[in-house]
Structures are given as structure tokens and as C-alpha cells.
Amino acid sequence: MTAAKAGAIGVIGAGAVGQSVAMLLAAGSWCESLRVVSRTGLSARALVTDLEDMCQVIGSPVRAVHAAGPGTLASCEAVVVCPRAEFINTSRTNVRMAGLNANAPVIAALAAALAHYQGLVVMVTNPVDVMTRLFTEVSGCPRVYGVGSNTDTARYRLTLAHLLDVPVEEVEGHVVGEHGDQAVVCASATRVNDRPIEVPVGQVRRELANRPARINAGLGRARCGPAGAVIAALRAGLGLDDRVVELSVNHERRWMGIPLRFTAGRPSVCLPRLDAAEARQLVAADVKLRDAYEPLARLHVPARPSWKWKEKTAVTRTATRIATAAQAVTVTSNTPVVTEWAIRYFGPWWNATSTTAAADGPQVIADVNPDRVTEIAQRVADHAHEETVYANTSMLFDREDDGTVLASQPDNKLAYRAEPGGPLRIYGGEDVPVALAAARLAREVVRGQLVADGWSILHASAVVRDGQTVLTLGDKGAGKTTTALLLARADWQLLANDRVFIRRENDRLRVLPWPSAAAIGLGLLDALGWYDQVRDRVQRGEQLHPTQHQKVTDALHAGSRTPLWKESGKELKPQFFPDQLHSWLGLTLATEGHAARILFPQITPGAEPALLDEDRTVAASDFFTVGTEDRYPDVFGLLPADLPGTQPLLELLGELPRHAMVLGHDVKANTDFLQQIAA
């Protein structure tokens, strides 16, 4: 196997196949975590416990967790769907089709819960070809593959190798069509040691029927073979292995198993040439599967009017105008959640007010429109594209000849379209992810205007009193946020906790805030005396910013004050909306100021606050540039090509009083010391 790894993978169903898939994933150590969902939760919790034992014994780093429901799997890279409804299968023919009516409601409900999920879906539940189509058409998911023909193909090669007494590695052949009685053995295209052979089709078919029957007679249900097919599909679909896998997909309006050649996760059809008899068998399989599907579609697939029709329907649109330092952008949306979010996010630091959708100037149009998400995601996936990380999430994007940028963030069910000189359009499947994206990109639009107007971005926290701004600089972990919050608790106004806009105006340096969620570690929250009041609000059901990691929310509910860390060494922290800094923590926020003093702290446990005999200065590396931007690369071309130089800023910053200092963990001592220095 390759060294490449996947993120989280979800498994729905903790029965025979679900258990085997989960065990292979945990033992394989090529995914970071495994999330298991079952109907009642009992079997999922039991399986997770069993997997934890196994991972401990073999030293696997894969973390298995019980997930509350399918909706919690939206951030997974892939989801395996393998539940089975409770029914007794007494069929002797068409065995896999027997669960059609029992399993269809289960699959339709799961598809609705995972509507417009952009990751990889691997369907296992039988009849797998019909369930794959049902899940796809109910959910709108763009990448749904059904296993079945892959297992059939493996059994075919094993059978033929046994009958011909040759190594199975020398057999090249496929089984396509239905995963069931009308599977099509591609005998005419089969090769052994790269040579055509006469396939004993009758014997092969009998063995293909008898093999699963023998498994069922002894074990009750096949599990290892299908689980292996799932792993092959996952690794190919996630781009970990380049290989051919027989999977059920929609090919030329036929939903059935066909060979797909995966290269870097992208499939291409490689259906073998069929003779006349095999082609007729494939048509017969298609007819059978269509006949089975159509009654289910009438019951479970909702009618979906085209988006063009929807756009003609009257929709009440709302708008928020965001402005600072004579620059502005208008956010419009078909849901008020987006525009109300913008007011809450920008209002405390920038001027954000409700306005009309017809406002002039740059616009971000952010709509809930799942159809457009699917359309753009498919368009990007089908063409050569680039990949980057935007706001900690993978983004795929493609630049067309006219300069239009199309982008997709599958994990967040988001899509983007930006035309040169036109509005930036955001589409999503749900309102909260759209609101998050709209806030980020509205800020990026204003950022581009500010940078074009001579503003730079300095990596610093800032507090203001009487218009005079104290800037705090340092590397990550130096204490920028701690210093700003200590002073803000002592009646200074908080301007920013991580970065600021700064521009020279005559002989002064004007400073503006960079609106963002504020991250405050659990330990610092406790030390500053805010932990209990924050926990009380969370327990009453109030929500912090949704980018907060679930582990942090769980810690607050449990009353844990111990700092949490990622494996990378980055601390996981509570994330506050800007308005919560005032409403929850009682801080006063500032909208601008002029730089008056610079602090360079370093926190040393057990130390007494004191000045250091160091002549620290602001450097060019303390500024964010296009090249050093680590969270928001300029995918949509919002920044000017020529950025303002930092030398004039460095000269004025070098003239300001500046102090290097050490701080300890005594909040009162630190606060008293900082007030003396900052005054």
C-alpha cells in the first residue's frame, strides 16, 4: 500500500459487512478515524468498543468513534452504506433482489440525511445496483458507487483459475451488469496469460451461484469478500490506489456494474468488448433493474423541479452592506441566515447594516442552492483542476479561458463562481456553511480593496484606549492573545486578537481590525475567570462559532478545563463570534486606532513579569503577503497584483516605544505589569 492516508471514513451499518469493513479500515491504518453509525446505536457502540480493543493490541493509530447519526458524517472523506433491514430471506432465486422493498426505505432515509454530500459514497446494501441508483437520485450526491460486480469479478477469476489450473494473477476477465442472477460474464474478452481462451461458461455460472450459497450456509451471510470490495473501492475512489474496479454507476443511463479505471481518484469507463450474446444479456439486466427501480422511485424519490423554474419563483432576498475605511461590499442571499450572520460577524468591528439587494459596488451573492453545488462540483471534477487548502478545507478550482473561476469544497457542500468584474457567487446545500463562506469572502473582497488602497496586514493583536493602539507581536504561542485579553479586561478596547490592517497616514499609523472568530484556549479561559459563565451558556444550548472542534464543545459540557491538542501540536480552542466577546465576556470592542506602542511578550511558566534587555523590532516577516497567507489563498483573484511595500511602515513602527518582556501565569501580576507598560 502507498503511504498516502485518508481522513475520516464513515460506516453506516454494524452488521456482518459493516463489522468487516470497519475491522479492515482500523487494521489498515490508512485512514485517520472511523465513524460508525447504526440504527439503534447499540451495535455501533459495541463495534467501536471492539475496534478500540483491536487497535490497542495491534498498535493501530486509527481512532474509532460512535457517530450519533448519518448527518454527522458530512465531514468524512467517504461513507460506506451497508445497513440491512430486518427481513427473512427465503428466496432461492434472485436472492439479492429479495430485500428490495425492505431495504429501500432505509436507503432513501439515509440518502435524505446525507443530501448533497460531496464525498465518496460506497453502497453495499442489496440489491446493490438498485440501491445505488436510489441513493444517488434521492441524495443528489455526485460520487456514489455500488460494490457487487467487483466481488463477482473476483469470484470469476478465482473460479476460472481453479478450473484451468493456472495462477489467478494470470486471469484477466470481468463480470458486469447486475450483481445477481443476471450478471454478465464477459467470456469473449477474457484472457489468461494475455491470451484468449474458451471459457466453460456453464461451469463458471454454477460456481458463481454456489460460492455465495456455501458462504451463507456456513456463516449466514458473506462478509469478507464484500468488505474487501469496499476497501478496493475506497482506496481507488480516494486516489490512494490507481487500479480497475468493477462498480455500479450510471453509464449511458444504465445503472449497473461496469469496470472503472481510477487514476488519482478519477474514474474512466473501461468496459470490455462484448459479443452479441453478452450484449443481449446486458440489455436484459438493464431492463430487470429498471423494472425493479421504477416503483421505488415513485415512492421515495421526490419530484425536483428544475432550478430554472425555481429562479422564476418569487424569492425574498435580503442584503447586508459591510464597510470600513471607505471600502465596502454587499452580501445578498435567498436566506436571511446569511445576511444576519454577516451583521453579527462584522458589526462589532466594521460597519455592517441591513440594506437593499440593489446596492451598488462589489457584491457577494450567497445562496442555498444544492442543484448548483452539484453542477459546479461535477464541472470542476470532470476537468483538469488545481487543489489548495482554503480555510482549513480542501478546495478544487478551475480557471476557464475567460478568467471565470469555478471552485468546489466537497467537505462543506459548497461551490463558487467568480467572473471577472462580476459578483462572487457562493452556493451551498445548507445555510450555515453558506453563511460561513460568505463572511470569509466578503472580508476578502474588502481586504482586496484595502490592500489596493495602501493597507497592509500585520500579524499582531491590538487594544485601544483614547484612540491610542498598543500592538502585540510575536510568534505563535508568544502571548499575543493573552496580552490583548489581559488589557481588554482592564478597560482597554479590543481591536484584534491575531491580525490588523495598518496604513501610514501622514506621520501616523492608522490601524483597523481584521474581523474573525476569536480563539481562546480552555486554560486561558479558566485563568481569566470566564470558564464557568461560558460553560453555563453552552449547557443552556447557546452556540459558539461552528468552526469550533467538537472535542472543545464536549469538554465544556463535561466541565474539563484541561487544554486540548491536535496531533500536530496545535491547541484546540473555544471559538467566539465577535459579538460574543462583548455579550459573553463583557469586553468592549474598538473599530480603529493609531499605533502608539509595541509589545513583544513571551510567556514562561513560573516567571515574574519583567522587561527583557532585548531590542526587538518589527520585521517584514511580521506582515502577511500573498506568498505567506496560510489560510486564505487568493483563489478568486481578489487581491491586486502589486501589494504596498512595508518599508515605510517599518520605519514608523521603528520609531514607536517598544518593549520586550516575560510574563508568567499569574493573571493579576501580569495585568498590573502590562497596565504600567502600556500606559
Side-chain angles (χ1 to χ4, degrees), residues 283-523:
V283 171
D286 178 48
V287 171
K288 176 184 176 181
L289 294 172
R290 286 176 184 272
D291 289 345
Y293 179 77
E294 288 175 2
L296 300 183
R298 290 192 290 269
L299 286 173
H300 300 293
V301 180
R304 295 186 179 183
S306 69
W307 183 252
K308 290 183 179 180
W309 180 88
K310 290 183 190 177
E311 288 184 330
K312 295 177 182 178
T313 304
V315 175
T316 301
R317 300 191 65 84
T318 56
T320 294
R321 185 170 176 79
I322 303 156
T324 185
Q327 307 301 334
V329 64
T330 302
V331 176
T332 66
S333 180
N334 62 357
T335 170
V337 171
V338 172
T339 48
E340 290 169 5
W341 189 291
I343 290 176
R344 182 180 185 188
Y345 198 85
F346 293 103
W349 272 319
W350 288 354
N351 180 33
T353 56
S354 297
T355 185
T356 64
D360 295 331
Q363 291 197 32
V364 173
I365 301 174
D367 289 344
V368 175
N369 184 341
D371 293 341
R372 290 290 282 150
V373 175
T374 302
E375 177 188 328
I376 293 175
Q378 193 65 57
R379 166 65 177 78
V380 174
D382 287 346
H383 291 74
H385 57 261
E386 300 176 64
E387 183 171 1
T388 189
V389 176
Y390 191 93
N392 299 320
T393 304
S394 174
M395 175 181 280
L396 311 178
F397 63 98
D398 175 31
R399 287 188 174 88
E400 298 185 335
D401 293 340
D402 64 356
T404 297
V405 177
L406 298 176
S408 169
Q409 286 184 292
D411 289 347
N412 295 338
K413 304 179 186 176
L414 292 170
Y416 308 81
R417 181 181 180 89
E419 299 177 12
L424 175 57
R425 298 180 183 272
I426 304 169
Y427 302 104
E430 299 174 359
D431 49 18
V432 170
V434 174
L436 279 165
R440 291 190 189 107
L441 284 165
R443 184 179 59 201
E444 289 299 285
V445 171
V446 175
R447 173 191 175 193
Q449 297 175 68
L450 289 172
V451 170
D453 201 24
W455 292 85
S456 297
I457 301 174
L458 182 64
H459 192 187
S461 67
V463 293
V464 177
R465 178 184 283 174
D466 299 327
Q468 301 302 296
T469 301
V470 174
L471 299 169
T472 304
L473 285 83
D475 296 331
K476 289 183 179 180
K480 295 189 297 298
T481 297
T482 299
T483 300
L485 293 178
L486 287 170
L487 288 170
R489 287 172 74 251
D491 298 327
W492 289 69
Q493 296 175 316
L494 182 65
L495 186 75
N497 75 313
D498 184 65
R499 57 176 82 182
V500 296
F501 287 98
I502 188 167
R503 184 176 74 168
R504 179 172 183 164
E505 295 186 354
N506 298 319
D507 291 328
R508 304 176 72 189
L509 290 169
R510 186 179 175 190
V511 184
L512 300 176
W514 168 279
S516 67
I520 305 176
L522 290 170

